[in-house]
Every structure is written in C-alpha cells, then in structure tokens.
C-alpha cells in the first residue's frame, strides 16, 4: 500500500499573526455529520452523552469541550468533532464521515469580532452571539460555520477547497482592523 | 432586508434564495385535470399586497420556508417551515 502523506487543509497557509490577532488551524481529528432519524433526537442525545460525554447541542449551540465537541450544523444536523463516532449512534442517526472535508480555523485576539464583521452578515455582538453559540452563515461569500469560543476567539469552518480563499480574506481583514486599532 | 427563519431567527437577506410562490407546495393529484395542472405549473398572481412565497435558507440551516410578506410595504408577516406547512395539509 502506498504511504500517503497527511496534509491538513491549511498546511502552509497558517499561522497568520497581525498585531494582537492570530489565525491558526485546528486539526480536530474525526468529523462526522449526524442526521437524527425522525423522532430519534432525544435518543441520539442520550447515546452521545453515554459514548462521548456531551448531549446533542440545541439549535445554534455547541456542546462538549476541547477534544470532543458537538456542533449544531444546520437543520436536523449535528457535527461530531474529535472522537471516532461510536457505532451505537447509527441506530438513531445517519452518519457520514466529513473528516478532512472541512478547514477549521481559530481566530483569536483583540478585534477578532471586528474582523469577522467584515465578512459575515451574522449579528456577532457579544449580547447576541455568546460563547458556545454557533451559526451557519456565509463568510466572505463562502458557506461557513462560525462559533464563538471566547470573548475574542472564534472558530470558522469552510469547505476544504475554500481554505486558501478564507485565509486570504481573513488576513486582509485582520490587517484592516489592526491598522485602525 | 432581514428575513425571519423559524430555526435560526432573523437573518440577512443574502443568506436566502428566493424560489417563487408557495403554490409550488400544492401539487395537484394525478387526476386533477389539465386546468389544475396548468395553474400549478404556469399561472401565478402578482399581488400588490400580501403574498406567500418560498425561500431557501441556503447559507444557513438549509430549511425551506414559507414566508408571508407584503409586497407593497415590505413588511414580513410570518414564516413557517415548508415541511410543516405541508404536513398540516394546507399552505393557505
Ligand atoms: Zn435557518
């Protein structure tokens, strides 16, 4: 068997540091989309708790902690990030492997929210979009998932094929925000 | 312009794709006759006032939504998931 070299979606593109802002890649390991069968939402949440330690996130939320997270990922869709999915989950949901399909970036530092405000129509004010809140929206015209990880820290995800464009757009916006600080 | 999504809440218009009158949810039966099918496929009102149309929250949760709005005032009067509007047996 050919031994292929693993390359992350943002290899060679990050880290990017501008003033107090930093953009780094997160390699979350396995990523699996869970689509609960009709009427199985509660059972799936119980199974997630038993197998991976977190309940299913509510609409627009993230559950779990670093290393094993579950992200609300759209209508009747949850993204399990970190662990390989427990086989028992398949009883309650359709599972599809998304590992390597998404670029996962962390934007951190003073002004991180201002950077994103250049790129997405989401209302990211801290009173509206709090730590653990997650949304599907667009980011620089690309379909994205955006999650607040802290006061000045966000996770941004786009399809792997768009990683270079996203990094380019973020880098430009980071420069503009820092120039005004 | 901001539009309400029953799942995501109020969101910017650019996250949505417009898809015409909600009449598309009222598919006639196979035996309904050519007039009903003609109406379903081709004939649309162009109301100056309240209208109901389908929007797709494409850059959001991916839900199809029946939006009730007023074309004269731009007021949005309501939003419901298309799947539920159809399950309820009526979209009117
Ligand atoms: Zn939505």
């Amino acid at each position: 068997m050919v031994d292929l070299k693993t390359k992350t979606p943002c290899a060679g593109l990050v880290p990017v540091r501008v003033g107090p802002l930093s953009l780094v890649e997160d390699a979350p390991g396995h990523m699996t989309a869970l689509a609960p069968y009709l009427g199985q939402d509660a059972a799936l949440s119980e199974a997630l708790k038993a197998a991976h330690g977190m309940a299913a996130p509510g609409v627009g939320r993230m559950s779990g902690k670093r290393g094993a997270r579950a992200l609300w990922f759209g209508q009747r869709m949850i993204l399990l990030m970190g662990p390989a999915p427990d086989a028992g989950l398949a009883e309650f949901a359709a599972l599809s492997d998304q590992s390597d399909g998404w670029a996962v970036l962390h934007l951190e530092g003073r002004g991180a929210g201002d950077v994103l405000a250049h790129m997405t129509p989401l209302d990211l004010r801290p009173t509206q979009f709090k730590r653990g809140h997650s949304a599907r929206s667009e980011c620089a015209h690309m379909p994205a998932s955006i999650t607040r990880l802290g006061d000045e820290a966000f996770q941004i995800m786009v399809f792997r094929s768009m990683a270079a464009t996203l990094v380019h757009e973020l880098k430009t916006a980071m420069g503009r925000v820092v120039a005004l600080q | 312009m901001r539009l309400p999504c029953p799942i995501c809440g109020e969101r910017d218009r650019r996250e949505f794709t417009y898809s015409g009158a909600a009449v598309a949810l009222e598919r006639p039966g196979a035996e309904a006759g050519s007039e009903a099918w003609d109406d379903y496929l081709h004939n649309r009102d162009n109301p100056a006032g309240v209208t109901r149309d389908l929007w797709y929250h494409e850059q959001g949760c991916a839900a199809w939504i029946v939006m009730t709005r007023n074309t004269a005032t731009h007021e949005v009067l309501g939003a419901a998931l298309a799947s539920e509007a159809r399950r309820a047996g009526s979209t009117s």
Side-chain angles (χ1 to χ4, degrees), chain A residues 72 75 136, chain B residues 5-9 11 15-16 57 60-63 65:
Chain A
W72 178 85
Q75 186 186 30
R136 293 297 301 265
Chain B
C5 169
I7 293 176
C8 305
R11 291 296 189 87
E15 291 184 3
F16 298 84
H57 197 189
C61 65
I65 300 159

Side-chain angles (χ1 to χ4, degrees), chain A residues 29-53:
Chain A
H30 288 271
M31 284 187 268
T32 311
L34 316 174
Y37 297 125
L38 272 183
Q40 299 297 318
D41 300 63
L44 175 67
S45 186
E46 285 304 317
L48 263 178
K49 220 185 285 177
H52 301 298

Side-chain angles (χ1 to χ4, degrees), chain B:
Chain B
M1 185 177 180
R2 310 272 292 173
L3 291 169
C5 169
I7 293 176
C8 305
E10 198 177 89
R11 291 296 189 87
D12 193 89
R13 190 206 64 83
R14 83 191 91 152
E15 291 184 3
F16 298 84
T17 303
Y18 174 73
S19 186
V23 136
L25 293 176
E26 296 158 17
R27 186 185 173 91
E31 310 302 323
S34 58
E35 207 167 302
W37 274 97
D38 184 38
D39 279 345
Y40 172 68
L41 289 172
H42 304 297
N43 299 327
R44 296 290 181 268
D45 293 330
N46 182 20
V50 175
T51 184
R52 301 172 67 255
D53 33 40
L54 282 171
W55 294 75
Y56 180 41
H57 197 189
E58 187 173 22
Q59 299 283 51
C61 65
W64 280 95
I65 300 159
V66 179
M67 214 76 80
T68 306
R69 59 192 187 93
N70 189 314
T71 57
T73 63
H74 300 303
E75 194 181 356
V76 179
L77 304 160
L81 292 177
S83 54
E84 286 174 8
R86 200 162 54 171
R87 224 172 281 148
S90 165
T91 59
S92 54

Side-chain angles (χ1 to χ4, degrees), chain A residues 28-32 34 51-52 67-68 80-87 89 95 97 99:
Chain A
H30 288 271
M31 284 187 268
T32 311
L34 316 174
H52 301 298
L80 177 64
M81 303 175 76
D86 184 80
L89 299 178
L95 274 55
D97 187 10
S99 312

